[in-house]
Amino acid sequence: MIDLRSDTVTRPDDRMREASANAEVGDDVYREDPSVNDLESRAAEILGTEAALFLPTGTMANQVAVRTHTEHGQEVLCERESHVVKWELGGLAQLSGLQVRTIDGGERGVVGAEQVEEGYVAEDLHRPGTGLLCLENTHNSKGGTAIAVENIEAAAETAHALGVPVHLDGARVFNAAVALDVPASRIVEPVDSAMFSLSKGLGAPVGSMLVGSEAFVERARRNRKLFGGGMRQAGVIAAPGLAALSEENRARLAEDHENARRLAAGLDGLGGLSVPKPETNVVLVHTEGTDYTAEEFLAACEPEGVLGVPFDDHLVRFCTHRDVAGDVERAIEAVGSALSS
């Protein structure tokens, strides 16, 4: 089976398994797990921030960040198809008592400075005010678009001028860094906090990191405990994350991007499919030109050995990753067979 549903399905390699087996551990709630401490130090170093915090999931990392930056009742500005709005079960409202004001980032999900200014609400006797701007890079729902640093800077500078902090959902920020040919630290430099995932393209079995200032991370650590993310001997899952952050492993993401381009080129026009050229490792497949809905298309692909996920009635996402590196041509042939059956 060629599993293109997500890069979250990646399995840890031998080096990561060995790191887990040999990890030094302690109680992380007491900050006594050396493997977690090393991972947090390394993550902060790579991202150019003062501190970092290890969390079980990206969703928890985003929600902890939001809770840490805001007060109940405030508004959060988000791109309308961003992960924190679309895929996190209304956590902004449920966990932090926040209201969402969405921004249309267009075809690529880019939030502009003017949109931030237009969406901003000042606090007064009647209105709670804007408490946070959330950005996303790469933008998942828009097909893994790599948002230029200049766009992040412009939105963040406008928010800061209005007294609003900025959080970056950078689950795939290293994909963005590779695509833009800039250090990941440059992408997060304009924002107040950022999250990235260890368990997507980097291939670690579990975990995400939240980075920011020392003061922010100290407050976030308390909210992590509140949300149930205080872990004990977490070194057994932190050590593979440290291996995943190696420079070689981060650079390897370029292979996923190339495989995504090859997959898109092979599928585009096949049986009526329309597949735009991807910017990173996310391939969006439009099925309007076929006789299939997204669900029907995937149902036809599965017996041929290819898995994906529906993104809309006629939109499918395929995601390339380390575990399918040699399967691109076979996937194209399998989809062709599915469409001709």
Side-chain angles (χ1 to χ4, degrees), residues 236-250:
V236 293
I237 54 175
L242 195 56
L245 279 178
S246 71
E247 185 174 355
E248 178 185 5
N249 195 47
R250 286 181 277 129

Side-chain angles (χ1 to χ4, degrees), residues 167-183:
H167 172 66
L168 177 69
D169 177 353
R172 296 183 176 91
V173 72
F174 290 108
N175 291 90
V178 168
L180 297 170
D181 194 24
V182 297

Side-chain angles (χ1 to χ4, degrees), residues 41-49 174 183-185 245-246 250:
S41 295
R42 181 60 176 145
E45 178 185 13
I46 293 171
L47 272 297
T49 61
F174 290 108
S185 58
L245 279 178
S246 71
R250 286 181 277 129

Side-chain angles (χ1 to χ4, degrees), residues 3-209:
D3 195 342
L4 298 168
R5 290 173 298 173
S6 176
D7 44 9
T8 59
V9 303
T10 52
R11 298 182 180 182
D13 58 24
D14 290 342
R15 186 167 60 118
M16 294 177 190
R17 293 176 185 273
E18 183 178 350
S20 181
N22 297 324
E24 291 187 66
V25 298
D27 192 319
D28 182 46
V29 172
Y30 292 123
R31 307 190 191 190
E32 294 175 355
D33 191 301
S35 297
V36 173
N37 294 341
D38 288 348
L39 174 60
E40 291 176 342
S41 295
R42 181 60 176 145
E45 178 185 13
I46 293 171
L47 272 297
T49 61
E50 292 179 353
L53 185 67
F54 181 48
L55 296 101
T57 72
T59 294
M60 183 181 284
N62 277 335
Q63 295 300 326
V64 165
V66 168
R67 179 64 177 259
T68 305
H69 281 301
T70 60
E71 298 177 4
H72 272 54
Q74 288 184 314
E75 292 190 2
V76 182
L77 282 174
C78 307
E79 205 286 321
R80 68 183 183 89
E81 292 195 62
S82 60
H83 196 280
V84 293
V85 172
K86 196 172 181 179
W87 305 112
E88 298 189 11
L89 285 171
L92 300 177
Q94 294 204 71
L95 301 175
S96 297
L98 300 168
Q99 304 178 85
V100 177
R101 185 178 294 268
T102 58
I103 296 171
D104 187 349
E107 186 177 345
R108 298 184 64 250
V110 180
V111 173
E114 290 184 4
Q115 292 171 305
V116 174
E117 193 161 5
E118 290 172 2
Y120 169 75
V121 174
E123 179 184 350
D124 62 23
L125 182 62
H126 304 283
R127 310 183 76 178
T130 301
L132 182 67
L133 169 65
C134 284
L135 303 174
E136 184 174 340
N137 199 12
T138 64
H139 197 301
N140 178 35
S141 292
K142 298 297 186 179
T145 49
I147 312 300
V149 174
E150 293 76 13
N151 295 120
I152 301 293
E153 281 180 330
E157 286 175 4
T158 302
H160 289 154
L162 295 167
V164 176
V166 183
H167 172 66
L168 177 69
D169 177 353
R172 296 183 176 91
V173 72
F174 290 108
N175 291 90
V178 168
L180 297 170
D181 194 24
V182 297
S185 58
R186 182 71 183 89
I187 297 174
V188 307
E189 184 179 0
V191 303
D192 300 284
S193 64
M195 179 277 284
F196 70 86
S197 176
L198 296 164
S199 59
K200 289 187 169 71
L202 296 179
V206 65
S208 289
M209 306 300 301

